[in-house]
Amino acid sequence: MVAGPPAARRSTEQAWLITGPLAMMAVACCLLLAVAAAPPPGNLVIAGVLFLAMVAASAQVLQIVVQRQAIEVIVTEIPLVLAFYLLPPLTVVVIAVLAALIGQLRRRLSAPKVCFNLARTAAAVSLAGTVLVALPPLEGVGSSTWAALFLVVTVNALFNLVAISGVISLLHGWQAGWEVIRTAPAPQMVSAVNVVVGLVVLIAIDSNWWSVILIAVLVVAVVMFYRSYAQFLRQHRTLGKMYELTRAMTENGQTGNLADVLLGRIRELMQAEYGTLWLPAQGRHPEVLLTARLDDRGLLDVALTPAVLRQRTYDAGRTLSVGRELGGDAELRRELSDQRVKDAIVVPLRSGPAVIGTLEVANRLSDVGHFTASDIPIFETVAAHAAVALENSRLVDRLRHDAYHDVLTKLPNRRRITGALDEAVKIRAPGEVVAVLLFDVDGLRRVNESLGHAAGDKILVEVAERLRACAPSSALVGRAGGDEFLVTLRLENAEAALELAGQLRDQIRDEMVFDALTLDVDTAVGVAVHPDHGSDAASLLQRVDLAATAAKSVPGSVQLFNPALESRSLRRLGLAGDLRRALDEGALEVYFQPKVTLRDRRLVGVECLARWDHPTHGTVSPEDFVAVAEHTGQLGQLTEVVLREGLRRSRDWSHAGQALAVAVNLAARTLTDQHFPDRVRELLTEYGVPPQRLTFELRESGVLDGTDRPIPTLRRLRDLGVRLSVDDFGTGDSSLAHLRRLPVHEVKVDRSFVQGMATDPGDLAIVNAVVTLSQQFGLAVVAEGVESELTLELLQDIGCEIGQGFLFSRPLPYERLEAWFGAQVGPETISAGELPRLRVVP
């Protein structure tokens, strides 16, 4: 990844732009103090003691690192309170500057930093002294003295804060300066506590000089407090940043930018100038070497440290640390010094027992900062989390790759090609077409049958390799599935696509040798181009498949798609349009098939069945036009046409004294229409038919699909009083036990079992079990496909109640059904309130 432009950062030499004015301000304040304040030096013994106290106080330092600079919070306020009370202000300035000089030299800071800190100290103390001179003279250790000293030392602290913020803003920009201000409340609170402690010490000394002993004890306690507070700040910051790092890795583990988040935050957590991630090449994953540097917004693809550090850590599987506080191999320390690296920690990344890479940080920020042994456990903990996140990221990447690639050939699969095609057709390039070539391998089935599927797989892998090797570099080669391969790319025109298809086919036709066999493998090739043959990926893939199918009829040919190949699809589309017109014009006819009680052969109802006699195609099977209706959104209209006709005839029969029930078939998709029950209620009211005379028959696969989606609609229909029946029961994967959770009243045994009862004991046993269990569940049973007297007798023996089939009647149009009624039902057999009884069973 290419690094972004470095952040604005000036040389520390430019700190003179701040140091100079501070020095001049210090000189001016000192001249004012020399004129207006008490003459120096005052009591030299006290001055010497306070000088030593200031030197000792400067040894306890709290560091706050901003960018490359370390802001030091030094606990000098306690001796400063005593000094302003006991010594002339100008003497206080001198001993404060000398104590600061000793502290700066001890930490071996650079000359610009030493000068800035001395000028800052001189200006701050001299300004505080000037404020003290401007206030009323101090008299005793009363409340006015407390307030005056608190104000003076607070001015000193605030001025130091402003000066530090100013120089940081100059060197690193206003954002870094604002970071100093943002982190100031905690140090300023510590400064206020220091002043209070100093005042307490002053009061104790003023009361009794022997209190110095108690003060010494207090000093030890204060030192311990500062050390504990410094440790607390470090731990708090470390825990907070580790939490942020862990959360960021979790949130970005699947977005592809894990390395950006990981390295930047680890570098910040460890206060390092560089953070580097190295993952050696593994499988299809190439080597990764990325570095986050303090002054760069992006990642570098190089590392500052020598490669031997990472290789040693990877080989040994142990943490490697090199630096002034860490020790380490002398040769490595020299190499790091040559690279201007003062210290580095390299930690192995583990996935179980295996090492998958390394994570390293180099160059602790600030001139005085160094990595220590206490940083290693923290970094190792971070590395453990990082290893898990990286492994999970690779796992997600592997799963994503597998989802879009064929396992056998490693080529992109149909999903990946479809997505690429969708993107390709969005870009129109004048003088170019998007070509899709489909290669269908001939004779693969015979190879599988003769030599086994392993040989067939070898052929597929070989074809994939040849296509990948021979196709232009701009082409996307993939496996569509089975024995089909797809190639898509941009070409000048369809003729160029045909020429390329022929060339690739010739390359594939070369002999393939497997063990002792030499095979001649040929392919049929279909070609389609955008925009001539389709505007999207779906239509292009559909039409190139039609072209490849046509190419199979002429062995070894290459076929360009043409509209004549789509006649089959066009016929289906035409059928959909004709169905819409037939529904609108009432061209569909409803036939009725009687349902009869098997014991006494009384007519109890009819099943309503739609029939369509197409003027061109002849009789269209219900399966065909129902499927077309489902796919074209005409299913609701088709269902209503049949339902209206059934209710109208039921009303007419009721008026004629024949209270026959009607059954209407429902498709599973109708049950997802939440308005359907309301429409049924309206139609029942419109035709004045009692709800119990209407039965809806639903296929077993539609209501027992393993979900609860149809149940709400079924319950609403049941609440209307409509009867519900499960049609074709036994053909699915469900059982009668599943019916217990459905609000159904009836089960229709599929005709395949009923027709086999007389010859197959298994079918007889199935029907017997369905009848017995259904009756135990309180369900009525209807047997479909009753076509013989023997079947009728067997059904009577096992207690089946109702049947329908050709033994009684075929489905009949209304006029023929009326005639059938007249021939089969005698008027003398109909009594008041009694169902008609069949007189003759043909």
Side-chain angles (χ1 to χ4, degrees), residues 238 242 245 249 262-263 265-272 274-278 313 318-322 326 343-349 358-362 364 371-387:
T238 301
M242 286 187 67
L245 174 63
M249 286 191 294
L262 181 69
L263 288 177
R265 291 181 179 271
I266 287 178
R267 185 205 58 74
E268 182 181 358
L269 170 66
M270 299 302 296
Q271 298 186 36
Y274 295 92
T276 300
L277 170 68
W278 177 56
T313 303
R318 295 193 302 270
T319 300
L320 179 63
S321 56
V322 181
L326 299 171
D343 48 13
I345 303 176
V346 188
V347 178
L349 297 173
T358 63
L359 191 64
E360 68 182 82
V361 288
R364 189 65 174 266
F371 291 121
T372 63
S374 62
D375 293 315
I376 296 178
I378 297 174
F379 193 33
E380 288 177 337
T381 302
V382 171
H385 287 288

Side-chain angles (χ1 to χ4, degrees), residues 431-510:
E432 286 186 350
V433 297
V434 178
V436 183
L437 286 59
L438 178 62
F439 295 80
D440 194 313
V441 180
D442 290 337
L444 186 65
R445 181 175 181 180
R446 293 192 298 272
V447 173
N448 289 334
E449 292 174 349
S450 303
L451 303 177
H453 287 276
D457 290 346
K458 290 182 179 179
I459 290 178
L460 292 175
V461 171
E462 182 64 23
V463 170
E465 290 296 332
R466 292 185 181 184
L467 276 176
R468 186 188 288 117
C470 301
S473 58
S474 60
L476 176 63
V477 181
R479 184 185 178 193
D483 54 0
E484 296 179 342
F485 293 86
L486 281 165
V487 177
T488 177
L489 73 167
R490 291 185 177 273
L491 293 170
E492 295 81 9
N493 47 46
E495 289 72 23
L498 284 172
E499 182 180 355
L500 176 62
Q503 294 173 357
L504 294 177
R505 173 181 166 271
D506 291 339
Q507 294 292 332
I508 296 174
R509 287 187 65 192
D510 286 349

Side-chain angles (χ1 to χ4, degrees), residues 193-248:
V193 173
N194 291 339
V195 175
V196 172
V197 173
L199 291 173
V200 171
V201 172
L202 176 60
I203 294 171
I205 293 176
D206 184 69
S207 301
N208 190 336
W209 279 95
W210 286 102
S211 62
V212 171
I213 299 174
L214 300 178
I215 293 173
V217 176
L218 181 62
V219 167
V220 174
V222 169
V223 169
M224 294 178 63
F225 165 76
Y226 274 105
R227 287 182 176 177
S228 299
Y229 182 72
Q231 183 179 7
F232 168 76
L233 284 182
R234 287 194 298 269
Q235 291 177 346
H236 178 74
R237 184 197 65 216
T238 301
L239 289 175
K241 291 190 176 297
M242 286 187 67
Y243 169 74
E244 293 176 1
L245 174 63
T246 304
R247 186 176 64 178

Side-chain angles (χ1 to χ4, degrees), residues 418-613:
T418 301
L421 269 178
D422 279 330
E423 294 299 322
V425 299
K426 292 178 182 177
I427 303 174
R428 293 293 184 94
E432 286 186 350
V433 297
V434 178
V436 183
L437 286 59
L438 178 62
F439 295 80
D440 194 313
V441 180
D442 290 337
L444 186 65
R445 181 175 181 180
R446 293 192 298 272
V447 173
N448 289 334
E449 292 174 349
S450 303
L451 303 177
H453 287 276
D457 290 346
K458 290 182 179 179
I459 290 178
L460 292 175
V461 171
E462 182 64 23
V463 170
E465 290 296 332
R466 292 185 181 184
L467 276 176
R468 186 188 288 117
C470 301
S473 58
S474 60
L476 176 63
V477 181
R479 184 185 178 193
D483 54 0
E484 296 179 342
F485 293 86
L486 281 165
V487 177
T488 177
L489 73 167
R490 291 185 177 273
L491 293 170
E492 295 81 9
N493 47 46
E495 289 72 23
L498 284 172
E499 182 180 355
L500 176 62
Q503 294 173 357
L504 294 177
R505 173 181 166 271
D506 291 339
Q507 294 292 332
I508 296 174
R509 287 187 65 192
D510 286 349
E511 293 180 343
M512 297 183 185
V513 179
F514 298 103
D515 298 329
L517 294 176
T518 300
L519 303 178
D520 185 11
V521 178
D522 202 354
T523 57
V525 189
V527 179
V529 297
H530 166 80
D532 298 345
H533 303 145
S535 59
D536 55 29
S539 58
L540 285 171
L541 292 175
Q542 177 192 2
R543 288 163 182 172
V544 77
D545 188 61
L546 292 173
T549 301
K552 292 180 182 179
S553 60
V554 182
S557 69
V558 177
Q559 176 68 55
L560 180 67
F561 171 81
N562 63 78
L565 299 177
E566 208 172 17
S567 59
R568 190 174 182 181
S569 298
L570 291 176
R571 177 182 178 276
R572 184 174 299 171
L573 293 175
L575 192 64
D578 293 342
L579 177 61
R580 181 178 292 106
R581 286 191 295 272
L583 290 171
D584 293 339
E585 298 171 2
L588 264 68
E589 191 172 1
V590 176
Y591 279 43
F592 304 90
Q593 186 173 25
K595 291 182 177 181
V596 178
T597 58
L598 300 181
R599 184 63 58 187
D600 52 9
R601 302 190 185 187
R602 290 186 182 275
L603 183 64
V604 294
V606 293
E607 181 179 0
C608 304
L609 301 168
R611 294 292 184 264
W612 185 19
D613 191 11

Side-chain angles (χ1 to χ4, degrees), residues 25-38:
M25 179 180 176
V27 171
C29 290
C30 287
L31 292 176
L32 181 61
L33 292 175
V35 174

Side-chain angles (χ1 to χ4, degrees), residues 46-57:
I46 295 177
V49 172
L50 290 177
F51 169 72
L52 295 176
M54 288 186 181
V55 172

